[in-house]
Amino acid sequence: MQSEVHPVAEPRPDDGPSDGLTRGTLRNETLIVLALSLGASAVSALISFVGSLTKPGGLADQAANLNSSQAPGRPWLDLAWQLFGIATALVPVLLVAHLLHRERAGGLPALGLDRRRPAFDLGWGLLVAAAIGGSGLLLYLAARAAGANLTVVPESLPDVWWKFPVLIASAVQNAVVEEVIVLGYLLRRLGQLGWSPTAALLTSSVLRGSYHLYQGIGGFIGNIVMGALFVLIYRRCGRIAPLIAAHATIDLVAFTGYALLAGRVSWLPTG
């Protein structure tokens, strides 16, 4: 694994918009990207959390289902819906790539998403995943035991041939969407809009926590902490690719681990 790092060239508050784009244009496009993706997810998660809080019984008695069947008893139709959902979730990433090309920034490689350093990206991604994944699981179990979190059910897909390929695709899709939008793109735009590095870090981290609020307080706080760490790592290495690898690994272990262990170990809540 390569040890060389390149701190990210995040726009400074005094840099201003690039290529003739006004601050208003950049602000409006950022709001539109968020409204089409993770900003809308944050609002949805808040509504879901309020519903869970006001429902009779505790949060731990309720379940948050992440990858569930869309057409029970009809596996081919179910597969079609799963692939459709994964593909359409990636459309905002294409929009971000287009906006960065229009800015003449070079598209997603401007955020450090390319194939130039695969060993570095994968190596650091696995290290970050190992450091965050275990502590995240402990936080979830503690929050659920305290009644502050729903029971997270990472998957409830039928036992068919496409189950694990879909879980892998879902993990990668989650990682790409979140890290491209809430890490690379949002930090770039907030810098161009004159936000301080601290304000941008807090905004990115709180947004990440907000769209996980459907899981409960534990999911909210845990993802704020993860978001802050990801911002610091991104600013240090200058690439989102290692963070995509880390995020995908964390989700992949959660999805497939649950599929293999649910009902077989006593410490894993199953909803």
Side-chain angles (χ1 to χ4, degrees), residues 91-268:
V91 172
V93 175
L94 298 179
L95 175 58
V96 166
H98 166 75
L99 294 173
L100 292 175
H101 272 296
R102 180 207 59 182
E103 187 188 342
R104 298 181 183 175
L108 296 180
L111 306 179
L113 180 55
D114 52 43
R115 295 177 291 180
R116 292 189 300 109
R117 308 176 68 191
F120 174 90
D121 296 336
L122 181 59
W124 276 101
L126 293 177
L127 285 176
V128 173
I132 292 178
S135 57
L137 176 59
L138 292 176
L139 175 62
Y140 159 65
L141 293 174
R144 183 181 179 277
N149 219 80
L150 285 75
T151 298
V152 178
V153 180
E155 73 85 24
S156 55
L157 296 175
D159 290 323
V160 291
W161 66 268
W162 48 260
K163 176 176 181 173
F164 286 97
V166 163
L167 291 176
I168 294 170
S170 179
V172 173
Q173 171 252 296
N174 290 341
V176 171
V177 171
E178 292 189 38
E179 305 318 325
V180 167
I181 293 175
V182 82
L183 188 61
Y185 176 74
L186 183 59
L187 290 179
R188 180 181 180 85
R189 285 293 182 256
L190 293 182
Q192 291 171 321
L193 290 172
W195 290 43
S196 70
T198 300
L201 180 149
L202 291 174
T203 299
S204 174
S205 303
V206 171
L207 175 58
R208 187 188 296 266
S210 298
Y211 57 76
H212 287 95
L213 192 57
Y214 68 92
Q215 299 177 7
I217 298 298
F220 175 67
I221 294 176
N223 278 280
I224 287 179
V225 174
M226 174 178 163
L229 291 173
F230 271 33
V231 169
L232 295 175
I233 294 170
Y234 173 54
R235 286 174 172 169
R236 173 65 179 139
C237 71
R239 297 177 59 77
I240 62 168
L243 287 314
I244 290 175
H247 191 151
T249 300
I250 292 171
D251 280 6
L252 182 58
V253 170
F255 297 167
T256 60
Y258 185 90
L260 295 172
L261 297 178
R264 295 179 173 85
V265 295
S266 58
W267 53 267
L268 183 63

Side-chain angles (χ1 to χ4, degrees), residues 22-34 185 193:
T22 66
R23 292 185 188 273
T25 297
L26 295 181
R27 181 189 64 246
N28 292 340
E29 76 166 34
T30 302
L31 292 174
I32 291 171
V33 169
L34 293 178
Y185 176 74
L193 290 172

